Amino acid sequence: MSAVTARPKKIRIGDLLIEHRIISREQLDTALAEQKKSGRKLGRVLIENGYLTEDQLLDFLGRQLNIPYIDLMRYHLNPEIVRLIPETHARRFRALALEEGRESLLVGMADPTDIFAYDELARVLRRPLQLAVVRESSLLKAIDLMYRHTEEISGLAQELDQEMSAYDVDLGQLGGSASLTDAPVVRLLQTMFEDAVQVNASDIHIEPDEHDLRIRFRLDGVLRVQTTAERRIASALLSRLKLMAGLDISEKRLPQDGRFNVRVRDKSVDVRLSTLPVQYGESAVMRLLNQTTGVLDLSQLGMPEAQLARFRRMIHSPHGMVLVTGPTGSGKTTTLYGALRELNKPALKVITVEDPIEYRLPGINQVQVNSRIDLTFARVLRSVLRQDPDIVLVGEMRDQETAEIGLRAAMTGHLVLSTVHTNDAVSTPARLLDMGAAPFLIAASLRGILAQRLLRRICESCSEPSALEPGLRVLVEQELGRSADGLEFRRGRGCTYCNHSGYRGRIGIYELLEMDDSLLAALHRADPLAFAVAARAQPGFLSLRRSAIDLAARGLTTMDQVLRATFGLEE
């Protein structure tokens, strides 16, 4: 570390910027007046007004104060050093501990001219500070990632284990006690939910092993171990979760399903709980549905503009069936809910038949199927059609009866949206024929098919160019029908923001088919092969693999993800 340990000098940033002709006197006066009204920092006001960029300001501050500028996007953060500054102080003073020296601590600050913040941090840390200037947006992201509850979860799990071994409590009573607001089991669950929401996990897995209890989060479609604890605490956790979901805590031999709602950091999260008896106890999986975020708009799905326009045309048809296909976890429900959000108008009656209901949609009648009381898709669907609906969403076409009722409804003046588990759009009619649906019904009712997958997105913070292997180059050129020269493929190097995986977030690929005369003729003949040939010959047809390669060529995902997502698809 080569930064100066002296207390930062007070500088008049506005006057210095004018002196160096970076901004004008009029711009400074305008910014100062705005600062007086809003109370925001002058630098932030100058940037938001477009008088200079954040990079210009940071570089200028670094030179004036003789301190380095550090790009946190490319800096390897050590969680132990970062946590030397308490989270409340880090957020309040926009500061992050970066590196520990023999006598001093290197601290990155968004505003290194803040003398009060410097003095308070020096008092709390009780050591000399060396300063660096960092980008505020990067600093806030780093704070969210670094101040996680992984250690706290492990500590609470250990505390719960010690408490149980010390007092030999009845686990059933522990789960049901009303006086447990301060017990480690409750605090463990609260902390676990907070951490899951903070990192945007889609699922929490609690799995007992022979000696340990494993807690894993699913992030961007991949499971990651969060912590391991003593197996004896599993029963206490499961009992509490079952109580929250209104399940039978004494039943441990049969699977159970329930749901409950938790409030985490001012966010309403709907939790779907599934329990399953396994070799060493009960496994629990919780699907987290952030109700505060709500349903995505179709324009937020990342579908290419041309495909989106065609899909919108399909769902705005007055009648007919539109199918969304793909494996579990490919985002089918998200797409259909986005379509319902767009279609939901006071003039239309919309009814959904789902298993389970994932998001509660205002203004829409949602029905949960229940096989235990014979409330099946087919039975509900027959009743739904007597409710005078305009639009019907059927969660899944699972059998011949459901498929035929849905197809007939689509043929008799209703718009029917549904899902089918098939590999791609081209093979979907064959699946309906295998179910036993009549060819003339499929041809008369089907308007379009959308197939989709989710690929992991390259982390923007550590994205870098990546050479294309010769074998992959041949595949890309065959698919694109041209040379791959000039295309820049990328990969994620791995950084703090993506947990050194190289990926952060997910992006969709889509294959869309609209029914035309050649496709309908093939359906009437019940000829899947002719349908597939005609589908691929459609003008503007983009296969899932082609969509994935297009994303890789734009540097949004990797060829490894392309191959994983489209493996086994016949092109």
Side-chain angles (χ1 to χ4, degrees), residues 216-403:
R216 298 193 285 176
F217 289 176
R218 189 176 291 280
L219 302 169
D220 297 335
V222 179
L223 279 173
R224 292 182 189 159
V225 176
Q226 182 68 7
T227 190
T228 54
E230 287 294 326
R231 186 166 69 88
R232 73 170 83 201
I233 74 169
S235 296
L237 280 181
L238 263 294
S239 294
R240 170 58 66 174
L241 287 169
K242 285 180 180 178
L243 277 172
M244 293 166 75
L247 303 181
D248 182 357
I249 63 171
S250 64
E251 180 55 78
K252 300 178 181 179
R253 300 165 300 167
L254 295 173
Q256 295 189 72
D257 294 294
R259 69 191 302 160
F260 56 91
N261 193 272
V262 291
R263 193 145 195 91
V264 181
R265 296 190 172 195
D266 295 326
K267 293 178 181 176
S268 176
V269 180
D270 210 17
V271 182
R272 234 170 52 208
L273 171 69
S274 171
T275 69
L276 182 73
V278 292
Q279 187 177 8
Y280 296 107
E282 282 184 285
S283 166
V285 175
M286 289 177 281
R287 167 66 55 90
L288 307 181
L289 303 166
N290 192 337
Q291 300 291 333
T292 308
T293 306
V295 177
L296 291 179
D297 187 85
L298 283 178
S299 58
Q300 296 174 292
L301 298 179
M303 201 182 296
E305 285 298 324
Q307 283 184 330
L308 181 58
R310 290 166 60 207
F311 183 64
R312 280 191 159 127
R313 189 164 61 242
M314 285 181 202
I315 63 171
H316 283 282
S317 301
H319 54 81
M321 178 179 282
V322 178
L323 294 174
V324 179
T325 82
T328 302
S330 60
K332 299 187 299 295
T333 304
T334 302
T335 299
L336 284 176
Y337 274 24
L340 284 184
R341 175 179 173 174
E342 187 161 308
L343 294 168
N344 187 20
K345 302 285 190 296
L348 297 173
K349 175 145 184 168
V350 184
I351 302 179
T352 73
V353 188
E354 303 174 67
D355 182 24
I357 295 170
E358 296 208 4
Y359 286 95
R360 294 173 176 88
L361 303 169
I364 290 177
N365 302 279
Q366 295 174 271
V367 182
Q368 166 86 51
V369 301
N370 188 341
S371 56
R372 284 177 293 185
I373 57 172
D374 198 31
L375 195 66
T376 60
F377 275 109
R379 186 172 181 180
V380 174
L381 199 48
R382 278 194 297 270
S383 300
V384 159
L385 296 178
R386 294 194 287 271
Q387 291 279 311
D388 187 30
D390 296 289
I391 300 167
V392 178
L393 182 143
V394 184
E396 186 185 343
M397 293 290 173
R398 292 183 179 175
D399 51 52
Q400 180 182 355
E401 190 178 10
T402 307

Side-chain angles (χ1 to χ4, degrees), residues 112 132-133 141 154 200 213 349 407 450 458 503:
V133 61
K141 276 187 191 174
S154 299
N200 205 24
L213 177 72
K349 175 145 184 168
L407 288 165
L450 177 74
I458 295 173
Y503 298 102

Side-chain angles (χ1 to χ4, degrees), residues 35-86:
Q35 182 200 22
K36 209 170 186 179
K37 289 179 188 174
S38 64
R40 288 174 299 164
K41 289 187 178 293
L42 178 61
R44 180 54 47 194
V45 174
L46 290 168
I47 292 166
E48 288 175 1
N49 284 3
Y51 298 151
L52 76 169
T53 66
E54 190 168 11
D55 285 334
Q56 280 180 303
L57 180 62
L58 295 177
D59 182 60
F60 179 77
L61 277 175
R63 282 188 282 109
Q64 290 300 314
L65 296 171
N66 193 28
I67 60 175
Y69 163 66
I70 290 178
D71 183 0
L72 290 179
M73 293 287 195
R74 304 192 178 280
Y75 194 84
H76 185 79
L77 294 169
N78 183 333
E80 290 183 10
I81 293 174
V82 167
R83 291 193 188 113
L84 290 173
I85 299 178

